[in-house]
Each structure stands twice: as structure tokens, then as C-alpha cells.
Amino acid sequence: MPTRAAAHTRARATVLAALTATVLAATGTPALASTDTGRPMNRAFEQAAETYDVPRDLLAAVGYGETRLDGHSGRPSQANGFGVMHLVSNPTHRTLEQAAGLTGKPLAELRGDTPANILGGAAVLRGYADKLGLDAGDRDDLGAWYPAVARYSGADGQAAALYADTVYTFLADGLDAVTPDGEHVSVTGRPVSPHKDGLTATDASVRSADYPSALWAAADPNNFATGRSATIDKVVIHVTQGSYAGTISWFQDPVSEVSSHYVVRSSDGQITQMVRDSDTAYHARSANASSLGIEHEGFVDDPSWFTDSMYRSSAALTAYLCDRYDIPKDRAHIMGHVDVPGNDHTDPGPYWDWNRYMELVGGSNDGGTGADGLSFTAYATQRSGSTGAQVRAVQTLLNAQKYPVGEVDGSFGPATEGAVKKFQTARGLDSDGVVGAKTWTALLSAGTTPEIAEGASGDTVKRLQRALTAALGSTVGVDGSFGPGTATAVRSYQTSRGLKADGIVGPGTWGALQAGS
């Protein structure tokens, strides 16, 4: 990663446009000239900057780098950080408590109130500046704040420099960010000369041994297991629910007990490897032993984090890993965290563009075998805007149940959404128009309800196997043969739904499946 501000400016202009942040010319005009002081977040930045003598634009750039100026309604990040300024409270990084001590504000207010959170962020930055010995004159120099910004990341060494470099790129390039409430918060681009004091993000000797384009920053040994107990056969896509540097710091914290193999930055697609491919990262529970995990900087409810640079960089990594470990380039083997059985996470979320990603990887987005158009190794959530083979399956099933969608075109548009809602209403499901596990289960099991048991075969068994796959969130082989594996899946389903666990699929079991249970 370049270290000179001018190089940052040239390299990042396109990226910031992709983030919906408009690149501004370096006019030298003070940022306050473009700020509407009647708007709450702008006013909060200005008041906090004045109170703690922190440059307003620096404060805004830190907030943008941490959260895209979205406080996420007080919900914590993966590292237990809160608010626009991502004030953190975990065993080794306690900026939330620091902010409380410096401002006198209650923890709850710092977590949930945006002006208080911004004030707390300013107080923490000023505290770091004081410890570094910055006097009033130094504090007027944006470049002098670089070590304080690096400390704010909660990371050390190279990861801290990566964080600070990103903040200073925003200062150099400028931005015009839009908050979730529609307020514009601007930073005017200008030349910057950060005082790095030996901090660097570009140590060429610290590179990934598995993926040459990646940096290397080792996760703490407590957060992964040495070696593998299974063959690598899948890639799992995650979203960090936090910043790039914050995630690296969290994976280096021994108390976290989580990690992934790779972390991808939003702004430019920079990749850091943290666990060797040959070792087992703790990222996906049941799939840990057989998978490679890739974390993507951002939040599942904010698509602005998913930049072109991120998609392309991550897809190149995934394609490389698939080729290296002979992993099929399809959605049965390149999956979201949400698709892994036994997990309760929703990432990468509804805004992750699987079609685009799989096209960049050079693979298939059919979600599994898909040979008959209905059978998949996993059934992903489908909603308005979704496309692909699983949408075609939804449309085929709806048409078969007399809820017409028109042409089966693989595009989840208004007609499909309307048909889904009618089907859901008829089955007593939440009529939200989203095909999640319950709606998938009801759709896939729809039809006649003959009693079947081990030894049966045919299309009815296939229908059962598909429905069990959706209901249990784990793959039941769709081969039309009611063998021991299917019998075990039936008993597991019956037990979890409070039915008699006899392995026989009669009216009670069919009824539960067709109700989406």
C-alpha cells in the first residue's frame, strides 16, 4: 500500500466514488464552508471538535472509516463497538470506558446517542494526542495526528498503519458522505503529510505465504487450531460487522476466540491473511474444519461497503483458492455464513450481489446441484431483486401450486413477490414476500401426503428430501431413495418439531413440513 498522500489520492478516487462519496477537488477551502451547521451530525462533529481541539475533518474521516457514519441504532459490532465513532468495550480495547471517563457521560448514552458518541470519540483522540505530547500548535497540523489515529484503531503495527492510512486517504481525497438519515457530511480534499513516526503498512517482508497478493498479520493462537481434520472443500463468505483494522485487531485478541483466514478491505480491496490455509480458523462452526473463511469489511445492512474493488479483489482470491484446492466454483461450495448448517448468522446479507460475485469468480450461482431445477445442497433466502437458479425453482413450485408468476425467468420481480405472499397467507406464514427457510420448506413439501418410510423410493421421496434440506438447514441427498440417511434426517426433524420420532413420514410429519415448520 502506498504511503505518500499523493499516491493515495490517485489510487482511491474511483473507489470513493463507488462508496457514493464524491471526490472533491483540493480547493483548500475549509471544510466548514460546505457544512450545514443546522444539521445534527455536522453540528455534533463541530461541537466535539471545538470541545476537544480535534480537527473537525479528521474526526469526520475517522467516523466515516469506522462506520460510514451509521450508528446502527446502538447495536454492537463484532468487536463490541458502538456508534458512529465505534467506541469499543472488550477485555483488551476499552475506548467506550475511556470516553466515559473523559466526558463524564454514561456508557448507555455513549453507546446510543450519536452526539455523545462523537464527543466521546473526540475525547479519546485528544487523550491519545496528549499522551503523544501534541501541544496546541501540533494539534492544528493534521499530519501530527497520524499516530493518534493509529492508536484509535485498537490495532498494532502494520494493521494500525493500514487503518490510519485509510483515514488520511479520506482527508486527501475528500468525501461527501450521506448518513442513514439523508444528511450530507463533507470533508474537503487537501494535501496531507502524515507524521508516521516509523509506522508503515507496506513491509514487503510481511506477506502471505498462501496468497502472494495479501499482507500477513497473524491471528492470536487462541483463535484458531493448528492443522486440519478434514479436506478443504468450500469457501465461506462473511461480513465483518466492523472495520477492517478493527477486525484484524479483534482476531489478534486472545479473548475473541474467532478468526478467519482472510480479511478484505472495502475501500481498495486490500487483503490481509490471518490464518494459514492449512490451519483451522474459527469462523463457521460446523464448517471450520473443511472451509476457508473470507471476511469483508462492512455491515450487512449497508450496501455502500460492498465496492467494486472489494468484489474484484475477493473474487480473485476465491478463484485462486478454488483452483489451488480443487473446490468447485458453485454456490454449493462458495457459500455465505448464513448458508452453513448450524449457524445463526445472516451474513453476507441481502445486499451481497451473489450473481456478480460468482461471475467474477468464474463459477455458477445455482446454489448446488440444481440438475432437476429443484434440488440443491442448500436453499438460500430469495427476495425481491434476487436472480438465478433458485429463483427459477421458487417460480416453478409456485406455478405448480396454482400461484402463477408468469414466465419462469429466474428474476424475483413483483409478480413472483405477489405469488409468494399469497402462498404464505394460505399456509399461515408471515406474508412478507421473502422465501426463507419456512417458505422454502412449505413450497418444497407441497403435494400429496402418502405415508412413506425407509425402503420407499420415487419422486415423493425426492420431495421429502428437498423439504428436509430446507427445514433442517443441512444437506439431505436428493436421490429418491429413502435410505438410512434420510431416515435419520426424518427423525431429527420429528424430534426438533415435537413429533413422534419414528422415522415414518405420515400425515403429522407432512403437515408440519407443509406448514413451513
Side-chain angles (χ1 to χ4, degrees):
M1 179 176 178
T3 58
R4 294 186 62 83
H8 284 320
T9 303
R10 290 191 296 271
R12 299 297 196 310
T14 301
V15 173
L16 288 176
L19 292 170
T20 70
T22 304
V23 177
L24 306 176
T27 61
T29 305
L32 294 181
S34 63
T35 299
D36 178 357
T37 57
R39 295 181 177 182
M41 193 172 293
N42 280 291
R43 189 165 60 249
F45 277 123
E46 291 153 13
Q47 290 177 346
E50 182 177 357
T51 299
Y52 287 103
D53 195 20
V54 178
R56 178 266 181 199
D57 283 6
L58 180 81
L59 198 58
V62 168
Y64 183 79
E66 287 282 8
T67 64
R68 296 295 187 269
L69 307 182
D70 185 346
H72 296 95
S73 302
R75 297 188 301 275
S77 71
Q78 179 175 222
N80 211 44
F82 298 88
V84 166
M85 299 303 293
H86 196 243
L87 296 174
V88 178
S89 178
N90 65 50
T92 57
H93 191 40
R94 306 183 69 83
T95 52
L96 180 68
E97 288 77 9
Q98 285 177 252
L102 292 166
T103 65
K105 293 192 175 292
L107 294 176
E109 187 176 352
L110 289 164
R111 286 194 296 263
D113 180 75
T114 293
N117 185 269
I118 292 172
L119 188 72
V124 171
L125 277 167
R126 174 60 188 274
Y128 291 150
D130 289 347
K131 289 180 180 178
L132 290 164
L134 271 62
D135 61 22
D138 294 328
R139 293 194 297 273
D140 289 336
D141 177 5
L142 273 177
W145 285 86
Y146 184 94
V149 172
R151 289 192 183 186
Y152 193 92
S153 72
D156 296 314
Q158 186 182 34
L162 286 167
Y163 176 93
D165 282 351
T166 300
V167 170
Y168 274 76
T169 297
F170 296 143
L171 291 169
D173 291 352
L175 58 91
D176 183 13
V178 181
T179 73
D181 294 331
E183 181 180 355
H184 285 261
V185 177
S186 298
V187 169
T188 301
R190 84 292 305 282
V192 291
S193 299
H195 305 178
K196 297 203 169 188
D197 296 339
L199 278 170
T200 178
T202 57
D203 184 350
S205 66
V206 187
R207 309 293 300 190
S208 162
D210 291 314
Y211 186 58
S213 298
L215 301 173
W216 170 255
D220 188 88
N222 195 49
N223 299 336
F224 68 93
T226 302
R228 292 272 186 178
S229 61
T231 301
I232 297 170
D233 65 5
K234 63 181 71 69
V235 175
V236 179
I237 302 300
H238 301 266
V239 172
T240 61
Q241 294 298 99
S243 71
Y244 180 68
T247 299
I248 292 171
S249 176
W250 187 232
F251 292 166
Q252 292 179 325
D253 188 332
V255 305
S256 74
E257 298 185 343
V258 293
S259 62
S260 70
H261 294 89
Y262 298 91
V263 185
V264 185
R265 186 163 61 188
S266 170
S267 62
D268 60 358
Q270 174 65 64
I271 298 171
T272 293
Q273 184 178 14
M274 302 198 68
V275 176
R276 289 296 304 272
D277 293 355
S278 56
D279 293 331
T280 304
Y282 298 156
H283 65 104
R285 294 186 184 174
S286 63
N288 284 342
S290 60
S291 66
L292 294 159
I294 305 177
E295 287 276 4
H296 297 80
E297 180 185 27
F299 292 82
V300 296
D301 58 356
D302 185 352
S304 71
W305 290 90
F306 304 149
T307 64
D308 180 69
S309 295
M310 171 180 277
Y311 276 121
R312 292 183 182 280
S313 178
S314 175
L317 168 62
T318 294
Y320 175 90
L321 296 173
C322 287
D323 291 340
R324 184 177 186 185
Y325 298 105
D326 198 25
I327 301 170
K329 294 176 182 175
D330 60 39
R331 284 281 281 112
H333 299 87
I334 302 170
M335 58 178 61
H337 195 177
V338 68
D339 300 321
V340 177
N343 284 274
D344 58 1
H345 290 247
T346 62
D347 54 316
Y351 299 112
W352 182 261
D353 191 339
W354 278 111
N355 285 339
R356 179 183 182 191
Y357 189 71
M358 294 304 296
E359 182 178 353
L360 290 169
V361 170
S364 167
N365 192 30
D366 67 5
T369 60
D372 58 11
L374 299 176
S375 302
F376 301 90
T377 56
Y379 290 89
T381 299
Q382 306 296 319
R383 66 185 75 225
S384 179
S386 297
T387 59
Q390 293 204 7
V391 175
R392 288 194 293 274
V394 169
Q395 294 170 327
T396 298
L397 292 164
L398 287 167
N399 280 339
Q401 292 301 307
K402 310 302 181 186
Y403 296 90
V405 301
E407 181 183 0
V408 177
D409 59 2
S411 178
F412 201 127
T416 300
E417 184 176 20
V420 169
K421 288 181 177 178
K422 290 178 181 178
F423 176 83
Q424 290 170 325
T425 299
R427 296 304 171 102
L429 301 168
D430 290 340
S431 55
D432 56 6
V434 176
V435 183
K438 291 184 177 182
T439 303
W440 267 122
T441 301
L443 275 170
L444 291 162
S445 62
T448 60
T449 60
E451 183 173 284
I452 55 175
E454 192 167 352
S457 62
D459 288 342
T460 300
V461 176
K462 286 185 177 181
R463 178 158 52 95
L464 169 68
Q465 291 166 330
R466 296 184 195 111
L468 289 170
T469 296
L472 296 173
S474 57
T475 303
V476 179
V478 182
D479 60 3
S481 177
F482 199 137
T486 299
T488 298
V490 169
R491 285 191 290 271
S492 176
Y493 175 79
Q494 291 170 327
T495 299
S496 64
R497 270 61 175 182
L499 303 169
K500 182 180 179 181
D502 57 8
I504 299 171
V505 182
T509 302
W510 279 119
L513 288 166
Q514 293 183 351
S517 174

